[in-house]
Amino acid sequence: SIQLKNAVIALLGVVFIRGFREAIGIAVFLVGVYLLLNLIVICVGLFQIVNQPTAIASWQAALFARHSNPLIMLAVATLLFPKLALGLSGFETGVTVMPLVQGSSNDTPQYPKGRIRNTRKLLTTAAVIMSFFLLTSSLITTLLIPAAEFANGGKAYGRALAYLAHLYLGNTFGTIYDLSTISILWFAGASAMAGLLNIVPRYLPRYGMAPNWARATRPLVLVYTTIAFIVTIIFRANVEAQGGAYATGVLVLMSSAALAVTLSIHRQRSKQKTLVFAIITLVFIYTTVVNIIERPEGIRIAAFFIGTIILTSLVSRVWRSTELRVERIEIDENARQFIAEESQGAIRIIANRLNEGDEQEYFCKEKEVREDNHIPSTDPVLFLEIMVSDASDFADVIRVKGVQVGNYRILRAESAAVPNAIAALLLHIRDQTGKIPHAYFGWVEGNPIQYLLRFILFGEGDIQGERI
């Protein structure tokens, strides 16, 4: 029922609120028990097949009676392959937790070779385990369970291995297997939760796509748990109904990853590897398209979420466009001395886009600004140069360095957004000196609406034009 599943989801949320390590520990225990019970059922099933040689003969007879041509069998298998899409689930969440994989002591952020090596071991081990259980379970269920029991309403519908567990190992073991299955289904969301708890705090607040409270784990757990409640209610707690949407998400992710790997291999100019990965990519794309056609509810739900994310991102960007996007300002000794000297009179700061960085550049810039703004020749000035570091960072620490080129004093810094950095530094100088600084910068010609949209969407404005 919906109430029971929501209660189970709430319990999962409570586990993650207690702690990430505790949740992973429970997951490891449940998965270990579940795999052990499945291994027992599969071994018993294989033993039954060995003792019943007629099972294989009967299966072959039924198979060739329906499809006598092996090519037709291959074609039918290809058409049915998209129905196995959910069997791929697990790899995508395994990739999302790669930053948690332990690396080597000599790893660097740019070249984490040890972490990459251990991640390959993790994914290879997962692939081997999943392949073994998928192949062997498909074999024994196909040979030992009558086809009628797989139909909707049959005893093996949606629970083929559980059917064999009760049939060959008795109701006691079968009940234990059922409880293990329920537990693993309950905690299956733990992998997705673990991936989201690792990705969201690491990236979204940094890019300005989520507020700073999203860096904390417990509030995110509450948000994800609430979303799970809503999804459960919308789908009326029907696992089959949710399967289409989940399969679409998994296949789109896998297809995108396969395409990215193919392009990466192509840049290495390896024709054979490129061909292999291109074929794999086409298989994933075909599977995705077929799954979308057969289960259109998945793409509808995905479109709704994508549209909601875009809309909320735009609203958030407009709402936060007036924020300084600066965590703090750090000024070195030279820059502090320049500002202190300037504060003896009117503080005049000329914004400049660094080109050659020689005395001639600053001479021309100063002459131009003094003439345009009627600045007395006796008043000293400071130059301010902001270089864009990583425009995708929403907030950063501005480190200001004082540099002297001939007789010209320059404040240099890096920031994700030039206008925000200028505003933050001017406010900082005002607070430190008690004087309101005068800032001089040029405006390029162009459509103001266009610059407004550039600033809202990308953090770039017209003060980043040619004259700065």
Side-chain angles (χ1 to χ4, degrees):
S1 65
I2 295 178
Q3 292 79 5
L4 178 60
K5 289 198 174 183
N6 279 334
V8 171
I9 292 172
L11 182 58
L12 179 62
V14 170
V15 171
F16 270 92
I17 288 177
R18 287 292 303 274
F20 187 85
R21 185 179 296 274
E22 288 79 0
I24 297 300
I26 295 175
V28 171
F29 172 76
L30 292 178
V31 170
V33 173
Y34 180 70
L35 292 179
L36 177 61
L37 295 177
N38 274 277
L39 182 61
I40 294 174
V41 175
I42 288 173
C43 290
V44 171
L46 294 175
F47 178 78
Q48 294 295 327
I49 292 174
V50 172
N51 288 340
Q52 300 178 28
T54 55
I56 298 178
S58 300
W59 171 73
Q60 287 180 335
L63 180 63
F64 283 99
R66 190 168 183 178
H67 305 293
S68 57
N69 192 328
L71 294 179
I72 296 178
M73 295 183 193
L74 181 61
V76 172
T78 303
L79 293 175
L80 294 177
F81 178 75
K83 296 183 181 297
L84 302 177
L86 283 177
L88 299 172
S89 64
F91 281 107
E92 79 287 355
T93 51
V95 172
T96 59
V97 297
M98 283 197 298
L100 301 178
V101 176
Q102 184 176 2
S104 303
S105 57
N106 57 352
D107 280 0
T108 62
Q110 292 77 21
Y111 301 99
K113 295 183 179 179
R115 177 173 293 173
I116 294 174
R117 181 175 59 254
N118 292 336
T119 300
R120 287 177 176 172
K121 294 178 181 178
L122 170 67
L123 295 179
T124 302
T125 302
V128 171
I129 293 174
M130 292 176 65
S131 300
F132 168 78
F133 280 100
L134 284 173
L135 292 174
T136 53
S137 61
S138 298
L139 176 65
I140 64 173
T141 53
T142 301
L143 295 181
L144 297 178
I145 300 178
E149 299 295 346
F150 286 108
N152 193 354
K155 295 181 180 179
Y157 179 71
R159 52 184 302 274
L161 287 178
Y163 174 87
L164 294 179
H166 283 272
L167 178 64
Y168 293 114
L169 296 169
N171 290 330
T172 301
F173 182 90
T175 302
I176 296 174
Y177 183 87
D178 290 337
L179 293 175
S180 174
T181 303
I182 294 172
S183 300
I184 205 69
L185 288 174
W186 161 60
F187 223 76
S191 58
M193 183 83 81
L196 290 171
L197 291 177
N198 178 58
I199 289 178
V200 171
R202 186 183 297 267
Y203 298 110
L204 295 192
R206 171 189 171 188
Y207 298 146
M209 299 174 65
N212 286 330
W213 60 260
R215 298 178 187 273
T217 300
R218 287 181 173 84
L220 281 180
V221 172
L222 296 177
V223 172
Y224 296 149
T225 304
T226 302
I227 294 175
F229 287 153
I230 296 173
V231 171
T232 302
I233 294 173
I234 291 176
F235 286 100
R236 301 183 181 275
N238 190 326
V239 176
E240 293 295 327
Q242 297 179 43
Y246 185 71
T248 300
V250 170
L251 287 172
V252 169
L253 183 62
M254 300 289 280
S255 301
S256 302
L259 178 60
V261 172
T262 302
L263 294 176
S264 177
I265 295 297
H266 177 68
R267 291 175 181 174
Q268 299 177 10
R269 302 186 183 279
S270 176
K271 294 184 178 180
Q272 293 182 347
K273 291 184 178 180
T274 301
L275 178 61
V276 172
F277 282 104
I279 294 174
I280 295 174
T281 302
L282 291 176
V283 172
F284 277 120
I285 293 175
Y286 158 75
T287 307
T288 304
V289 173
V290 173
N291 186 79
I292 291 174
I293 295 174
E294 293 184 352
R295 297 179 171 184
E297 69 276 5
I299 196 65
R300 287 197 294 264
I301 294 171
F304 170 76
F305 274 101
I306 292 173
T308 303
I309 290 172
I310 293 176
L311 178 61
T312 53
S313 297
L314 288 174
V315 172
S316 173
R317 195 66 175 180
V318 173
W319 184 267
R320 306 184 69 181
S321 61
T322 57
E323 295 183 17
L324 290 179
R325 297 171 56 181
V326 175
E327 295 180 3
R328 67 180 184 275
I329 295 178
E330 298 177 357
I331 300 179
D332 71 359
E333 188 59 35
N334 287 340
R336 187 175 290 106
Q337 182 179 349
F338 292 164
I339 295 173
E341 294 173 355
E342 191 77 8
S343 64
Q344 301 302 318
I347 303 176
R348 302 185 185 276
I349 298 178
I350 300 176
N352 177 61
R353 168 172 285 186
L354 179 63
N355 293 309
E356 298 298 329
D358 55 12
E359 292 187 59
Q360 182 64 27
E361 176 182 341
Y362 298 111
F363 171 79
C364 296
K365 186 69 176 183
E366 179 183 7
K367 180 181 179 181
E368 176 187 356
V369 173
R370 285 187 185 274
E371 292 176 353
D372 291 344
N373 298 277
H374 307 288
I375 301 175
S377 59
T378 57
D379 288 4
V381 296
L382 280 177
F383 287 93
L384 174 61
E385 297 173 344
I386 306 294
M387 279 70 74
V388 177
S389 52
D390 186 351
S392 60
D393 285 339
F394 187 80
D396 55 5
V397 177
I398 298 179
R399 296 176 175 86
V400 183
K401 297 180 179 180
V403 179
Q404 186 151 355
V405 178
N407 296 325
Y408 301 100
R409 299 167 300 167
I410 304 105
L411 303 177
R412 287 180 180 170
E414 292 185 358
S415 177
V418 172
N420 303 70
I422 293 176
L425 184 58
L426 294 177
L427 291 173
H428 180 80
I429 293 175
R430 181 203 64 182
D431 295 340
Q432 295 297 315
T433 63
K435 291 186 176 182
I436 298 177
H438 299 265
Y440 305 92
F441 44 82
W443 300 84
V444 296
E445 297 180 0
N447 190 328
I449 302 300
Q450 177 183 353
Y451 291 124
L452 174 63
L453 293 176
R454 284 178 57 190
F455 176 68
I456 291 175
L457 297 175
F458 308 109
E460 299 178 357
D462 52 355
I463 63 170
Q464 281 188 287
E466 185 179 351
R467 297 181 63 188
I468 300 303

